[in-house]
C-alpha cells in the first residue's frame, strides 16, 4: 500500500490490533446464526509525510451505509459542545440571515439545528440514511451523499457556496483525504472559512488511546500533516485550538490560499509540540504496539480476576472505541454480561465481534452489576453522574484506557 496523501510506499508499522468487524456493524438477533466479516485492523505510518493511516480493507460505502448506528445527539455533552461552537462561530465570523452554513457529515442534525434556530440558511451533507432521516425530521435540508471534490464543485456551480463549512469528526473518516480537502476549497466563498475537528494524534500516542483506532477511521491526524494536506488542496490554516473532546482533539480553521485572514500563533505552537513529542520521528511509532498490548493485557486480567471473585460486570456505552477494545482483548459475554446504551438504534442489538447484548438502562437497575465498565472513557464523568444511583447497591465504575481505573 502507498500513502493516501503523498503516495510513498508504506513500510513502517504503527499498531496491529488483529482482526475485527467494522466497529459500527452492530448485529440483530437474526444475524447471530451467521458469521461476521472480520477485517485486519492494522495501521501504518508514512515515513515521507508522517500520515498515520489504516491499511485499506473496507470501502467507505460499506462502513457508512443505511445501517450506520452512530447518532451524535445521544450525548448531552456533545450537544452542548455543538451549541457553543455555533454561538462562537456566529459571533466570530458575523454570520446572519445573509450567510450560508454547510455541515459535512451532518449526522442527525445535532449541530445544524442550532444554526437553523438562529435563522441562518444552512444545509447538511450526510451519506448514512438512518442519521440523515433523523436530521430531516428536524426540518433540516440534508443531501444524501459522500462529500468530495466533485460534489463541492457541483454545489458551487449551483450557487450554493458557503460562508462557513463545519466538518466535525469526519476528516479522519475519508479514504481519499486529498480529494476530500479539495472539495472544501471548491465550496467556500472567497472569504469563507472551513472548520474541522478531529482527534489529535498527539493525544492518541501520549495516552495510548489505541481504542480510537477502527476501520471507519482511515487517518490519524497531526496538525503538521493536516497543514500539508490542506496546502495541496488550496487551503491555508490560519488558526487552531486544542479541545478536550474525544480524549483530546484539534479544531482547525482554514481559508482559501491567499486569504487576507491573519494567521495566529496557535498553529506554529501546536506543530512545535508535535515535533517535540517525536511525531516526525519513527521511534515513537515503533514503541506503540507494546503499549497497546500492555493496556489490553491489564484489562483482560482485571476482568478475569473479577469473574474469579464472583463479581457481576456490565458495560456502558456501545461505542466504536469499545468494540475495538473488546475485540482486541477477546472479551465475550462470559466476562461482560451486557452493554447499556441510550441510542435507540443500538438497543436490542449486539456488539460486533463480541456479540454482547446491548440493552436499555432499565436492565442495569434490574441486574445490579458490581462493576460497570465505561467504554466511551472520554465522557466517563458525564456517564458516572448519570448513573450515580448505581452507588446505592455498591457498584463501582471502571475505565481501561490508558490504564485500569476504578472509581
Amino acid at each position: 500500500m502507498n500513502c493516501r496523501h503523498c503516495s510513498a510506499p508504506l513500510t513502517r508499522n504503527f499498531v496491529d490490533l488483529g482482526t475485527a468487524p467494522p466497529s459500527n456493524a452492530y448485529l440483530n438477533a437474526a444475524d447471530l446464526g451467521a458469521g461476521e466479516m472480520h477485517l485486519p485492523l492494522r495501521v501504518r505510518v508514512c515515513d515521507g509525510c508522517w500520515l498515520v493511516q489504516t491499511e485499506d480493507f473496507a470501502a467507505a460505502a460499506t462502513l457508512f451505509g443505511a445501517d450506520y448506528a452512530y447518532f451524535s445527539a445521544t450525548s448531552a455533552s456533545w450537544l452542548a459542545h455543538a451549541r457553543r461552537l455555533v454561538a462562537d462561530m456566529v459571533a466570530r465570523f458575523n454570520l446572519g440571515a445573509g450567510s450560508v452554513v454547510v455541515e459535512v457529515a451532518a449526522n442527525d442534525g445535532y449541530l445544524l439545528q442550532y444554526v437553523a434556530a438562529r435563522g441562518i440558511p444552512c444545509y447538511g451533507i450526510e451519506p448514512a440514511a438512518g442519521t440523515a432521516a433523523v436530521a430531516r425530521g428536524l426540518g433540516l435540508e440534508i443531501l444524501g451523499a459522500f462529500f468530495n471534490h466533485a460534489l463541492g464543485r457541483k454545489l458551487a456551480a449551483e450557487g450554493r457556496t458557503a460562508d462557513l463549512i463545519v466538518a466535525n469528526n469526519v476528516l479522519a473518516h475519508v479514504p481519499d483525504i486529498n480529494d476530500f480537502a479539495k472539495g472544501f476549497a471548491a465550496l467556500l466563498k472567497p472569504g469563507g472559512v472551513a472548520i474541522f475537528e478531529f482527534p489529535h494524534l498527539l493525544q492518541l500516542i501520549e495516552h495510548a488511546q489505541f481504542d480510537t483506532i477502527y476501520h471507519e477511521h482511515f487517518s490519524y491526524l497531526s496538525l503538521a500533516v493536516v497543514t500539508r494536506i490542506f496546502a495541496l488542496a488550496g487551503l491555508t490554516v490560519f488558526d487552531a485550538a486544542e479541545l478536550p473532546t474525544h480524549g483530546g482533539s484539534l479544531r482547525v480553521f482554514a481559508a482559501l490560499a491567499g486569504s487576507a485572514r491573519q494567521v495566529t500563533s496557535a498553529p506554529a505552537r501546536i506543530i512545535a509540540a508535535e515535533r517535540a513529542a517525536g511525531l516526525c520521528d519513527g521511534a515513537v511509532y515503533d514503541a506503540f504496539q507494546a503499549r497497546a498490548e500492555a493496556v489490553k493485557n491489564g484489562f483482560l486480567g482485571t476482568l478475569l480476576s473479577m469473574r474469579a471473585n464472583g463479581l457481576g460486570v456490565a458495560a456502558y456505552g456501545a461505542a466504536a472505541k469499545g468494540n475495538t477494545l473488546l475485540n482486541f482483548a477477546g472479551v465475550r459475554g462470559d466476562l461482560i454480561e451486557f452493554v447499556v446504551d441510550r441510542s435507540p438504534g443500538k438497543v436490542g442489538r449486539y456488539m460486533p465481534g463480541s456479540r454482547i447484548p446491548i440493552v436499555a438502562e432499565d436492565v442495569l437497575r434490574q441486574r445490579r452489576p458490581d462493576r460497570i465498565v465505561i467504554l466511551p472513557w472520554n465522557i466517563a464523568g458525564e456517564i458516572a453522574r448519570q448513573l450515580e444511583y448505581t452507588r446505592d447497591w455498591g457498584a463501582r465504575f471502571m475505565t481501561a484506557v490508558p490504564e485500569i481505573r476504578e472509581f
Side-chain angles (χ1 to χ4, degrees):
M1 178 179 165
N2 292 336
C3 175
R4 58 173 44 96
H5 169 55
C6 73
S7 299
L10 297 179
T11 59
R12 186 181 297 275
N13 294 322
F14 179 46
V15 69
D16 185 342
L17 299 178
T19 63
S23 283
N24 283 294
Y26 297 91
L27 303 171
N28 297 312
D31 301 323
L32 298 180
E36 290 178 74
M37 176 179 64
H38 281 64
L39 302 170
L41 188 49
R42 293 197 294 264
V43 182
R44 300 290 195 98
V45 185
C46 176
D47 289 311
C49 69
W50 299 110
L51 176 62
V52 178
Q53 54 205 282
T54 54
E55 291 191 20
D56 291 335
F57 290 102
T62 302
L63 300 172
F64 303 105
D67 211 27
Y68 184 63
Y70 180 78
F71 291 81
S72 298
T74 57
S75 169
S77 62
W78 189 244
L79 284 176
H81 175 82
R83 187 186 300 111
R84 287 193 301 271
L85 173 60
V86 170
D88 291 347
M89 295 309 104
V90 167
R92 179 172 179 177
F93 300 116
N94 196 29
L95 302 174
S99 309
V100 175
V101 175
V102 177
E103 185 177 17
V104 173
N107 199 261
D108 55 10
Y110 75 99
L111 183 140
L112 283 183
Q113 62 181 327
Y114 301 120
V115 178
R118 290 171 173 267
I120 301 172
C122 61
Y123 64 93
I125 300 166
E126 173 56 56
T131 54
V134 173
R136 293 187 186 105
L138 299 174
L140 299 169
E141 180 188 0
I142 304 294
L143 308 181
F146 285 97
F147 185 73
N148 54 25
H149 190 199
L151 181 57
R153 286 184 298 174
K154 178 177 181 292
L155 291 169
E158 294 171 356
R160 309 205 69 186
T161 50
D163 296 279
L164 176 69
I165 309 177
V166 180
N168 282 351
N169 299 305
V170 63
L171 187 61
H173 290 67
V174 293
D176 191 345
I177 197 166
N178 292 339
D179 182 80
F180 184 75
K182 290 176 183 176
F184 289 82
L187 188 55
L188 279 176
K189 292 182 180 179
V193 173
I195 302 173
F196 303 81
E197 290 186 13
F198 51 85
H200 193 187
L201 176 64
L202 179 62
Q203 300 301 320
L204 185 158
I205 291 176
E206 288 191 344
H207 300 290
Q209 297 169 352
F210 69 88
D211 58 340
T212 62
I213 294 171
Y214 29 96
H215 298 100
E216 291 90 336
H217 281 180
F218 290 90
S219 301
Y220 302 85
L221 299 164
S222 67
L223 183 55
V225 171
V226 167
T227 299
R228 174 177 171 150
I229 291 169
F230 284 2
L232 180 68
L235 297 169
T236 297
V237 172
F238 68 89
D239 196 8
E242 295 172 285
L243 307 174
T245 53
H246 296 287
S249 297
L250 290 180
R251 177 182 293 161
V252 175
F253 297 79
L256 293 173
S259 166
R261 293 190 181 275
Q262 183 175 359
V263 178
T264 72
S265 61
R269 174 181 54 78
I270 293 170
I271 291 173
E274 293 173 347
R275 293 186 183 280
L279 267 59
C280 295
D281 182 346
V284 72
Y285 302 107
D286 296 341
F288 194 77
Q289 181 75 40
R291 296 174 63 204
E293 290 176 359
V295 174
K296 175 196 74 170
N297 294 338
F299 178 55
L300 186 56
T302 299
L303 292 179
L304 289 168
S305 176
M306 288 178 176
R307 182 185 181 192
N309 289 319
L311 297 177
V313 181
Y316 190 99
K321 58 170 53 74
N323 288 321
T324 295
L325 174 64
L326 297 177
N327 286 315
F328 184 42
V331 173
R332 298 294 182 263
D334 57 332
L335 296 180
I336 293 180
E337 299 170 34
F338 56 88
V339 178
V340 176
D341 201 273
R342 283 189 164 184
S343 171
K346 295 179 182 178
V347 171
R349 304 175 79 182
Y350 296 80
M351 301 286 271
S354 67
R355 301 192 167 200
I356 298 172
I358 305 169
V359 301
E361 193 173 326
D362 58 349
V363 176
L364 195 66
R365 295 185 176 90
Q366 297 164 10
R367 301 278 288 273
R368 298 191 165 203
D370 301 292
R371 297 291 183 271
I372 302 170
V373 180
I374 299 178
L375 295 174
W377 45 259
N378 53 299
I379 53 172
E382 174 187 340
I383 293 170
R385 289 189 294 272
Q386 174 189 319
L387 302 181
E388 182 63 27
Y389 63 86
T390 64
R391 305 284 194 189
D392 294 344
W393 66 76
R396 289 178 60 81
F397 302 113
M398 186 176 93
T399 54
V401 179
E403 60 189 5
I404 299 295
R405 183 170 73 97
E406 282 195 35
F407 57 100

